[in-house]
Amino acid sequence: NENGEVDAAPESNESEYLSPVTVGGQSLNLDFDTGSADFWMFSSSMPLSQSQGHSTFNASKSSTWSVYKGASWEISYGDGSSASGTVGFDTVDIGGATVTSQAVELATGVSGSFTSDVNNDGLVGLGFSSINTIQPQQQKTFFENIMDDLEQPVFTADLEDNATGSYNFGTIDPSEYTGDIHFTAVDKSNGFWEFASDTYTVGGNKSQCQTCSPAIADTGTSLVLVDDDVAAAYYGQVSSAVYDSSQGGYTYNCTESLPTFGIAIGSDYTATLQGADITFAQIDSQTCFGGIQGNSGGGIQIMGDILLKQFFAVFDGGNETFGVAEK
Ligand SMILES: O=C(CNCCc1c[nH]c2ccccc12)Nc1scc(-c2ccccc2)c1C(=O)NCc1ccccc1
């Protein structure tokens, strides 16, 4: 079988987790992203002004590279960032799990936030290929390509706070979690690891959702973006909290102790965050920016790294389920 395991190192402000990936013999640090389905990298055909400080992939130095003639890609994300470029096929190795003809997208242009994030040399999309942006023909993700060769058609994410975690392709390592894994059915029709989430708790008190948007497990988004009524209910219990439009979200006094927050993962488990794990960033000597924010009516709730790093997460492509366990 083709199982593989790689580290997931939290970068500086822990806004993402980077893992070493080898493409055509060249190694880059990429961000594994279950919230998108494009595998793209900084490339040598970018203007130096945009690739400065990054590792870049040089197709002319790969003996296994083949061009996908006439193909292109272009992606934009909800934080306003974007990237675009050309396409080819190469051998991709992630911790020993190898795909010999993976569609690989070379950036010829990226937005400023990617340029300035020098630790991040690109993304490995681990969502479903129905949202891959390659034209004229969408291409499969690394996981879709390798799934049938794995011991089990799964990958797991163990993201850590202030420590190196791991991604595992093909096995569920019992040493990485405790107790049961709580699985829920995934609806992949929107291209995400999407599941129902109809209740939430604040300070241990359970509430029925109002908007009740489906939730997605998204290792590529730092924050937890919930329906606006849920965010308002949470910060309504934080006396110093205000919605600060200049910061783009709820802020509060860093000295205030935050209530717990729980979100349903399907119908029989609530993933609960301790208050101390909810602050995303300190913005000045007294003010903190919350890791839970509203989705501005976006119609989906995004369970990002703030939540995922507190659990052991299982993405099961065989059963089309998503599960979390304590660790
Ligand atoms: O795109 C991803 C996962 N890849 C992120 C790659 C990435 C984008 N900048 C990066 C910077 C560094 C590393 C990876 C990335 N998830 C999803 S599903 C629906 C939305 C969405 C759509 C519309 C409106 C809102 C969300 C997003 C989204 O845009 N998240 C990013 C974000 C981040 C912050 C705030 C909002 C949304």
Side-chain angles (χ1 to χ4, degrees):
N1 63 52
E2 286 279 321
N3 298 350
E5 177 174 2
V6 279
D7 286 350
E11 58 106 49
S12 51
N13 67 359
E14 272 188 46
S15 72
E16 75 225 0
Y17 294 81
L18 300 165
S19 301
V21 175
T22 304
V23 181
Q26 300 173 41
S27 182
L28 293 95
N29 288 325
L30 305 181
D31 182 5
F32 288 14
D33 181 5
T34 59
S36 68
D38 283 53
F39 184 131
W40 68 263
M41 304 180 294
F42 276 71
S43 77
S44 54
S45 50
M46 282 170 76
L48 254 180
S49 58
Q50 292 191 21
S51 62
Q52 202 155 349
H54 289 267
S55 297
T56 56
F57 178 78
N58 186 334
S60 58
K61 287 188 178 164
S62 169
S63 57
T64 42
W65 173 264
S66 64
V67 174
Y68 180 175
K69 285 185 182 46
S72 65
W73 61 282
E74 178 166 14
I75 195 163
S76 56
Y77 305 99
D79 59 349
S81 61
S82 61
S84 61
T86 59
V87 189
F89 299 91
D90 212 335
T91 300
V92 173
D93 177 321
I94 297 182
T98 302
V99 169
T100 51
S101 182
Q102 174 65 42
V104 170
E105 303 167 43
L106 304 186
T108 51
V110 298
S111 60
S113 63
F114 283 121
T115 295
S116 52
D117 187 359
V118 289
N119 301 298
N120 183 2
D121 302 326
L123 269 59
V124 177
L126 294 172
F128 296 93
S129 49
S130 58
I131 56 171
N132 175 267
T133 73
I134 293 175
Q135 302 271 352
Q137 175 63 39
Q138 293 176 313
Q139 300 297 310
K140 286 184 176 180
T141 68
F142 174 82
F143 178 60
E144 287 167 335
N145 281 324
I146 200 164
M147 190 169 86
D148 295 342
D149 304 326
L150 296 172
E151 188 179 323
Q152 290 178 267
V154 304
F155 66 93
T156 66
D158 168 22
L159 303 181
E160 292 292 340
D161 226 346
N162 301 315
T164 297
S166 62
Y167 282 92
N168 215 314
F169 290 88
T171 56
I172 297 174
D173 180 347
S175 73
E176 295 192 10
Y177 67 94
T178 60
D180 296 329
I181 303 174
H182 306 277
F183 285 102
T184 185
V186 159
D187 169 4
K188 64 178 188 182
S189 60
N190 294 318
F192 301 119
W193 294 86
E194 185 180 305
F195 54 89
S197 179
D198 291 347
T199 61
Y200 63 94
T201 66
V202 178
N205 300 320
K206 189 167 226 175
S207 296
Q208 174 61 34
C209 58
Q210 286 154 38
T211 318
C212 306
S213 302
I216 69 167
D218 183 356
T219 57
T221 295
S222 311
L223 303 177
V224 170
L225 299 176
V226 293
D227 288 326
D228 296 321
D229 56 292
V230 175
Y234 180 74
Y235 289 106
Q237 300 304 313
V238 179
S239 52
S240 64
V242 294
Y243 184 84
D244 180 345
S245 48
S246 72
Q247 294 294 337
Y250 288 95
T251 63
Y252 45 85
N253 188 310
C254 300
T255 58
E256 187 164 1
S257 63
L258 297 175
T260 61
F261 177 73
I263 189 96
I265 307 285
S267 51
D268 68 1
Y269 182 70
T270 296
T272 301
L273 297 179
Q274 300 307 308
D277 297 327
I278 290 172
T279 294
F280 177 67
Q282 178 154 4
I283 40 183
D284 66 33
S285 60
Q286 293 178 324
T287 315
C288 278
F289 186 83
I292 297 166
Q293 296 292 343
N295 61 10
S296 310
I300 64 168
Q301 303 192 88
I302 301 182
M303 303 296 119
D305 300 332
I306 281 280
L307 181 139
L308 293 174
K309 70 184 177 182
Q310 300 302 332
F311 295 92
F312 175 73
V314 182
F315 297 81
D316 187 325
N319 298 323
E320 294 186 358
T321 57
F322 169 70
V324 292
E326 293 173 23
K327 60 188 182 190

